[in-house]
Amino acid sequence: MIRSLYTAASGMVLGLRQQDVVADNIANSSTVGYKAEQSAQTAFGGVLARRIGPADGPVPGRVDEVIGQVGTGAFVENVRTYLGQGAERETGAPLDVMVRGDGFFVAQTDEGVRYTRDGHLDRDDQQRLITADGGRILDVDGNEIIIDTDRVRVKSDGTIHRLVETETVQPDGSTSVDVVEEFVAQLQVVTIGADDLVRAGDSKFVAVPGAALTPVDYAAGGTFILQGSLEEANVNIGQTATRLYSVARTYQSNQRVFAEINKTLESTVTELGRV
Amino acid sequence: MALSLDAAVSGMVQQQKNIEAIANNLANVNTTGYKRVKIHFQDILDSASVFAALTTGVVEQGEVSESAGVSTAAMTRDFAQGTLQPTGRQMDFAINGDGFFRVLLDDGSMAYTRSGIFLLDGDGKVTTASGELLEPPLQLPPRFRGLRIELDGEVSVIRDYTDAELADLGPFDPRDGVRVPVGQIELARFANPAGLEAIGNSRYRETPQSQPPITGTPGQEGLGAVFSGWLEASNVDIATEMTGLVMAKRGYQLNVVAFRTIEDMLTQANDVTV
């Protein structure tokens, strides 16, 4: 009896915990490069239900046999990150880049190396390429990227080129402008398994020690870098809103069950006790 | 659980900021030389244990880590070129390029603007609409017949012939006046204009992020030419802003719904004995 009270309570605790995750996804539904959270719940180890009583049949005695298992509730075991592709939003800004396919940009922050899908880049006072909150973006060799102009072209393999314009005067007196691409650096983009990533805030992730970091192989296809676009959060609004309500209703059911059990227990205590 | 309420509230606050930025862009859709502001969100980290693990550098696989809402990482200005609109007024200048006009503030410091509506003060000096002097100073003579501004910023006035000059003219010479150079408009550009600080009245101030200005005559590398008789419209695109507004409004609503739903659950938790 008391056990069922705890089982119902565990359902309520679970509901609130699941709602943490849902609220988070909703709050970040317009955060560039945000990857949705998913909570995975699991059942507490059950207990064996036994039938104990006088044995039927000719031989007097008692039975004590296992008739099945009784669950004792559920809890959120872990919160996983869903790494699915977010929608593409075109911004037209030369320093906005997004990864289409697998892969993370690598940024050096004051706390260490971080991985991010947020490609809203900027330049700081030392002309370094940085994330919106100041993390230095690294190139394939792990160096900071220095660019002195916004006139850049980022190719699909993550190479950054400065556009250098040179004016030449033609024999007939008119001027023509030649644009030459000058290689600056190649963005470092690595793939990491979802299990090896831990959220580090600021739209960034940190890799667990010993995680396998694989540089993206553009030749294999599937992954490329887009300039002038940003990746929207991969939060499915409809699904998330549905989950918000379904969790709330499940919670309500658990609360009803809890209240009913509580009432039954009350009768047990007050009425059975009255002789 | 209070955590999820916090997340929903942070969502509302940030969407509110987003709406403010969009409203400001829309309010300035007709402001000469206005540059739209973009807002950029990032998630914030919750779990204190994960944070501790991060700072000590020890992170374990499968560790529960989740965000606790959303925050604004940056509000940046988009310095993309606005379209040029003809006004026919000679003292309206538009820059077609990355340059800024330099203006001298009352406190002696320098500010930079893309708003090219210029006026003359009592001494014939060229000032902005809000009264700051153009730098380097440009003074026009008290009387002139016409004004000419070249694409490279050279300013000259056309004055009448003096009687002596008239006497020297042959019978078939044109009599439309003498061109006298009076000054030169200079422009400044920045390696990183997104780092400029807006100080109101369409003016910006240099910061360490923007790098010091690179000055030169219009038409020099990247500065852009000066078009007299034209003004640069704001680079606000109404369709983009309206889409952003609708998205922000829906985002806000969704956060309100999340807040209410979770709040209901917490109320029920208080009512378990009923």
Side-chain angles (χ1 to χ4, degrees), chain B residues 9 18 41 46-47 49 121 146 154 165 205 242 244 264 266:
Chain B
V9 170
N18 195 0
F41 298 135
D46 138 50
S47 178
S49 64
D121 71 0
E154 191 198 330
E165 282 165 341
R205 196 182 272 157
M242 289 312 287
D264 274 354
L266 293 175

Side-chain angles (χ1 to χ4, degrees), chain A residues 12 15-17 19-21 23-24 26-32 34 37 77-79 81 91 93 96 111 114 118 120 122-127 131-133 148-151 167 195-204 206-209 230 232 237 241 244-245 247-249 251-252 255-256 258-259 262-263, chain B residues 1-5 7-8 10-11 15 18 36 38 40-45 50 54-55 57-71 73-74 76 78 97-98 190-195 208-211 219 222 247 251 254-255 257-259 261-262 264-266 268-274:
Chain A
M12 293 173 68
L16 288 172
R17 193 71 187 77
Q19 229 48 328
D20 281 350
V21 169
D24 226 359
I26 288 177
N28 282 294
S29 55
S30 32
T31 303
V32 168
Y34 178 79
E37 294 167 358
E77 190 188 29
N78 63 21
V79 179
T81 303
T91 63
D96 281 349
E111 290 95 40
R114 297 285 182 268
D118 176 0
H120 181 69
D122 208 343
R123 291 182 297 134
D124 70 357
D125 53 358
Q126 291 166 50
Q127 314 273 41
T131 60
D133 62 331
D148 58 355
T149 171
D150 281 350
R151 287 176 201 275
E167 275 187 29
D195 288 341
D196 290 341
L197 285 170
V198 176
R199 270 168 209 276
D202 302 333
S203 298
K204 292 184 188 62
V206 62
V208 298
L230 289 175
E232 300 265 24
I237 296 292
L244 178 76
Y245 289 123
V247 170
R249 289 299 167 216
Y251 179 90
Q252 208 177 4
Q255 193 260 348
R256 291 305 311 155
F258 187 98
N262 193 33
K263 245 186 264 174
Chain B
M1 52 188 164
L3 211 69
S4 39
L5 287 184
S10 78
Q15 293 296 0
N18 195 0
R36 65 184 285 260
K38 298 183 289 188
H40 189 73
F41 298 135
Q42 282 187 341
D43 66 351
I44 42 183
L45 186 67
V50 178
L54 286 179
T55 44
V58 186
V59 187
E60 276 173 28
Q61 195 160 3
E63 186 131 30
V64 174
S65 72
E66 54 195 284
S67 336
V70 59
S71 68
T76 46
D78 178 1
D98 294 339
F190 294 89
N192 186 16
Q209 275 72 39
S210 70
Q211 303 274 303
M247 303 274 281
L254 195 58
N255 278 293
V257 167
F259 185 92
T261 311
I262 296 161
D264 274 354
M265 288 168 64
L266 293 175
Q268 288 169 24
N270 284 337
D271 292 344
V272 281
T273 53
V274 187

Side-chain angles (χ1 to χ4, degrees), chain B residues 120-136:
Chain B
L120 291 183
D121 71 0
D123 303 327
K125 286 184 183 145
V126 174
T127 70
T128 63
S130 44
E132 294 95 7
L133 288 175
L134 185 67
E135 180 69 26

Side-chain angles (χ1 to χ4, degrees), chain A residues 93-96 121-124 126-130 145-154 160-165 179-185 227, chain B residues 98 189-194 209-211 214 221-223:
Chain A
L95 291 183
D96 281 349
L121 307 182
D122 208 343
R123 291 182 297 134
D124 70 357
Q126 291 166 50
Q127 314 273 41
R128 296 176 299 195
L129 200 60
I130 53 167
I145 300 174
I146 312 270
I147 307 179
D148 58 355
T149 171
D150 281 350
R151 287 176 201 275
V152 292
R153 177 156 172 231
V154 182
I160 306 172
H161 300 261
R162 293 176 74 220
L163 299 179
V164 184
E165 294 172 12
V179 181
V180 185
E181 292 179 356
E182 214 172 70
F183 175 78
V184 178
Q227 185 182 16
Chain B
D98 294 339
R189 80 184 162 90
F190 294 89
N192 186 16
Q209 275 72 39
S210 70
Q211 303 274 303
I214 305 154
E221 52 162 330
L223 283 172

Side-chain angles (χ1 to χ4, degrees), chain B residues 99-160:
Chain B
F100 289 83
F101 296 110
R102 284 189 296 162
V103 295
L104 195 62
L105 297 182
D106 293 341
D107 63 4
S109 65
M110 204 66 80
Y112 303 86
T113 183
R114 295 273 297 187
S115 173
I117 306 170
F118 288 99
L119 308 168
L120 291 183
D121 71 0
D123 303 327
K125 286 184 183 145
V126 174
T127 70
T128 63
S130 44
E132 294 95 7
L133 288 175
L134 185 67
E135 180 69 26
L138 182 62
Q139 191 166 11
L140 302 184
R143 284 184 59 231
F144 54 88
R145 261 174 68 179
L147 183 67
R148 237 190 113 75
I149 295 114
E150 301 294 335
L151 291 181
D152 66 359
E154 191 198 330
V155 183
S156 43
V157 294
I158 295 158
R159 63 162 173 79
D160 289 328

Side-chain angles (χ1 to χ4, degrees), chain B residues 208-271:
Chain B
Q209 275 72 39
S210 70
Q211 303 274 303
I214 305 154
T215 55
T217 55
Q220 279 180 349
E221 52 162 330
L223 283 172
V226 169
F227 290 84
S228 162
W230 295 74
L231 282 177
E232 183 190 10
S234 77
N235 64 352
V236 176
D237 174 43
I238 295 184
T240 310
E241 300 298 333
M242 289 312 287
T243 314
L245 191 63
V246 171
M247 303 274 281
K249 189 179 149 199
R250 294 288 169 234
Y252 190 92
Q253 277 176 338
L254 195 58
N255 278 293
V256 172
V257 167
F259 185 92
R260 252 195 235 141
T261 311
I262 296 161
E263 207 262 335
D264 274 354
M265 288 168 64
L266 293 175
T267 313
Q268 288 169 24
N270 284 337
D271 292 344

